[in-house]
Amino acid sequence: MLILNDKVNTTELTPFGSVANLGAKVLEGAPQASGAALVGQEGDPQILGIFACTQGKFQVDHTFAEHATLVKGRVTLVDNISGERKTFGPGEGWYIEKGENLDWIIESDEMIKHYLAIF
């Protein structure tokens, strides 16, 4: 069993640099990402991990499904097809279908989430 909680040490996360390095389109600011896979690795059918990002706005074409729970910060997700918009705080979660196109607005200085990505 792996216990996930809100005690994330961000110094243990691997810096990825700009979210553009992960395939996102930066819309505002200079959001910087970091993360760590807890179970699985690139190329596996699913990965459980931690993802952190600094303030900014970016667009993502999701090539995977994702279930996530926000650990720290405040983030708004905007569905670019339906226009649906939802703001999340710590302890709240979401599910994103593979193929969705979303704007991510990181409203706090930093956000941290636990996620399960399904490829």
Side-chain angles (χ1 to χ4, degrees):
M1 177 169 41
L2 178 61
I3 306 297
L4 302 175
N5 59 43
D6 63 354
K7 308 295 187 266
V8 176
N9 182 351
T10 56
T11 61
E12 295 177 3
L13 302 180
T14 301
F16 302 132
S18 172
V19 293
N21 295 337
L22 303 174
K25 178 182 177 184
V26 176
L27 302 174
E28 291 177 14
Q32 301 294 301
S34 59
L38 303 175
V39 177
Q41 59 187 351
E42 191 172 336
D44 285 353
Q46 62 186 26
I47 298 174
L48 173 71
I50 300 169
F51 179 84
C53 188
T54 60
Q55 193 170 42
K57 180 178 179 182
F58 52 95
Q59 185 177 79
V60 178
D61 284 316
H62 287 270
T63 59
F64 54 90
E66 176 189 80
H67 174 267
T69 302
L70 194 64
V71 174
K72 176 184 175 186
R74 185 171 169 88
V75 61
T76 297
L77 301 179
V78 181
D79 184 313
N80 287 312
I81 302 299
S82 71
E84 181 179 5
R85 175 186 197 99
K86 172 69 175 146
T87 300
F88 299 89
E92 296 180 309
W94 58 82
Y95 176 76
I96 297 169
E97 297 263 354
K98 181 177 182 176
E100 286 191 86
N101 179 278
L102 301 176
D103 284 353
W104 288 71
I105 305 166
I106 312 303
E107 299 179 14
S108 51
D109 290 340
E110 177 182 53
M111 76 88 154
I112 301 172
K113 68 178 180 178
H114 292 133
Y115 70 87
L116 174 63
I118 305 162
F119 296 91

